[in-house]
Amino acid sequence: MLVKPFLTTILLSSIILVAFSGCDTRFKPETVLSGYVTDLNRSQSLSIPSPAIVMPMSLPALRDRQKVLSTFDIGLLDFLSLQYCDVGMVAGKKNSILGKVMPDSQRFLYELDIIRAIESCDITDVNLAKELGRMAQQKRLELPVAFGNALFNGAEGKAFFSLSNGFLPLDYSSADQQALLGALHRLVDIGKGLSDLPKVDTAVFEGDLKILMGSEYAGRLLYTLAQITRYLTTVSNEVGGLGSASCGPSMTYIKHQFEVHYVNIIQPYMGRINHSAYQVLPLLNQLAELSAPLSSEMSVFLNQFSLTKSGSEWLRYQQSSQSHAKNWSRLFDLCAISLKG
């Protein structure tokens, strides 16, 4: 078997990665993926370049994802005339000093309350009734936007979609995401029922946003998909270029490294990611649809999670995985090598 020495740059990169990952398990999968390339490169048959750094699109700035809602403005006399029903009380909360800086999650709940209050108030002034009716209709149309603002604009959404939290853990299991799934299902139910002005429990709603925040799931999934894709694509491109001349003693070593790194570690890790993502992504995509219309920047960002849209990070990951498997299968067939099991 012919084995060539480590390339200096690959060795140095590996040392840095191991040192970094050793004290931060969030990036341990990077060490595993890097080790796959490094050990394959010990063979004279392969010269896999270091995968180019690739980062998916990050969450747009607040100004590029927050959409403006209409304001509820009525004159003082009209306001006083509405004190006998809930409209005056609800509007008063929004116009208070605290209300003027209410977070988007509370603004969404306020929008539900003010619509409900207007539509349940028996207003005798014809002109005022007409104006408030128009306002309530406008706010009904804006409810999906208010819902989207609540989901994506707060600290909870920022943490949920952050790319700075690294990979999903190597031992990640869908059993770890039951609280997240419960929160997503409840949020989807709210989004589906917006036309009925659902009674939303404030504590539960805020708690579900906190669950999203604590999970850091969307950003970690997106980061994980992008990094696995870049490694598998780089390996696949090199393996796909090998012909029958590479068959021989060195293939025993190559097969062993494929099994040790990919079959035993990376492939099962990807299987756990797939099982997890197929539970979460349909719900996340539903929330995006229920929050339409989104800003153009937010739409592009969320399209990365699409299971069906061309160019999504998910589809790129799937295509890379399939190409990687296909090229390895072709090489092993060409060299008449069978895998264990």
Side-chain angles (χ1 to χ4, degrees):
M1 177 178 69
L2 297 175
V3 179
K4 64 186 179 184
F6 279 126
L7 295 175
T8 303
T9 54
I10 294 179
L11 178 57
L12 180 60
S13 298
S14 299
I15 291 173
I16 293 173
L17 281 169
V18 169
F20 180 68
S21 301
C23 60
D24 193 342
T25 57
R26 296 177 302 166
F27 294 92
K28 188 174 181 180
E30 180 84 34
T31 304
V32 172
L33 292 165
S34 177
Y36 180 39
V37 171
T38 298
D39 284 351
L40 285 174
N41 270 339
R42 288 176 178 266
S43 168
Q44 288 284 7
S45 299
L46 290 167
S47 183
I48 304 169
S50 180
I53 301 297
V54 175
M55 287 294 286
M57 177 184 174
S58 60
L59 183 69
L62 179 60
R63 65 178 180 275
D64 294 324
R65 65 181 191 269
Q66 187 175 43
K67 300 205 69 176
V68 178
L69 301 174
S70 61
T71 56
F72 181 80
D73 292 321
I74 57 176
L76 177 61
L77 291 178
D78 289 334
F79 177 77
L80 293 174
S81 71
L82 293 170
Q83 290 303 295
Y84 68 89
C85 66
D86 289 342
V87 177
M89 181 182 68
V90 176
K93 288 182 179 179
K94 177 64 175 63
N95 290 328
S96 68
I97 295 176
L98 181 62
K100 289 180 180 179
V101 293
M102 68 169 53
D104 285 300
S105 59
Q106 290 298 308
R107 177 65 187 271
F108 167 63
L109 299 177
Y110 161 81
E111 295 295 318
L112 289 171
D113 286 343
I114 196 66
I115 297 170
R116 195 180 294 113
I118 291 174
E119 294 182 347
S120 64
C121 187
D122 184 16
I123 304 170
T124 56
D125 185 311
V126 176
N127 291 330
L128 179 58
K130 185 182 296 184
E131 175 62 20
L132 291 179
R134 183 198 61 77
M135 193 173 295
Q137 183 60 33
Q138 176 63 28
K139 287 190 168 295
R140 273 186 172 274
L141 295 175
E142 292 177 352
L143 271 180
V145 172
F147 183 55
N149 283 347
L151 294 177
F152 305 131
N153 292 349
E156 299 86 355
K158 186 176 181 180
F160 183 58
F161 289 110
S162 174
L163 298 177
S164 65
N165 298 313
F167 290 79
L168 290 173
L170 273 175
D171 59 353
Y172 190 81
S173 167
S174 55
D176 300 328
Q177 62 187 32
Q178 295 311 301
L180 172 61
L181 290 174
L184 289 171
H185 276 294
R186 286 188 291 272
L187 292 171
V188 167
D189 287 343
I190 291 173
K192 286 181 175 180
L194 289 180
S195 62
D196 297 323
L197 303 180
K199 289 278 190 178
V200 178
D201 185 305
T202 301
V204 174
F205 181 66
E206 295 286 0
D208 285 340
L209 294 179
K210 294 296 184 186
I211 289 174
L212 267 61
M213 181 182 192
S215 75
E216 303 174 346
Y217 182 86
R220 297 185 78 168
L221 174 66
L222 194 60
Y223 183 88
T224 301
L225 297 179
Q227 305 319 309
I228 292 178
T229 296
R230 73 184 179 98
Y231 274 96
L232 294 193
T233 298
T234 304
V235 171
S236 178
N237 289 341
E238 183 68 18
V239 171
L242 297 180
S244 58
S246 62
C247 299
S250 65
M251 280 303 298
T252 301
Y253 172 82
I254 290 175
K255 173 198 171 188
H256 177 69
Q257 296 307 319
F258 175 77
E259 291 177 333
V260 166
H261 291 280
Y262 184 74
V263 176
N264 292 347
I265 303 176
I266 298 172
Q267 189 175 46
Y269 176 47
M270 292 170 62
R272 291 190 291 274
I273 290 171
N274 293 348
H275 187 256
S276 160
Y278 277 125
Q279 293 180 352
V280 174
L281 291 185
L283 296 171
L284 181 56
N285 287 323
Q286 274 188 283
L287 288 176
E289 292 171 2
L290 293 168
S291 303
L294 297 162
S295 69
S296 57
E297 293 87 352
M298 197 62 190
S299 292
V300 172
F301 172 76
L302 290 175
N303 281 346
Q304 294 178 109
F305 297 95
S306 174
L307 296 171
T308 58
K309 292 181 180 177
S310 176
S312 74
E313 200 63 52
W314 176 257
L315 287 187
R316 289 182 62 248
Y317 160 77
Q318 291 293 329
Q319 291 160 2
S320 174
S321 173
Q322 293 163 12
S323 176
H324 177 267
K326 180 180 178 181
N327 284 334
W328 273 115
S329 179
R330 181 199 62 81
L331 179 62
F332 289 140
D333 288 344
L334 183 66
C335 297
I337 291 178
S338 60
L339 297 177
K340 63 181 180 180

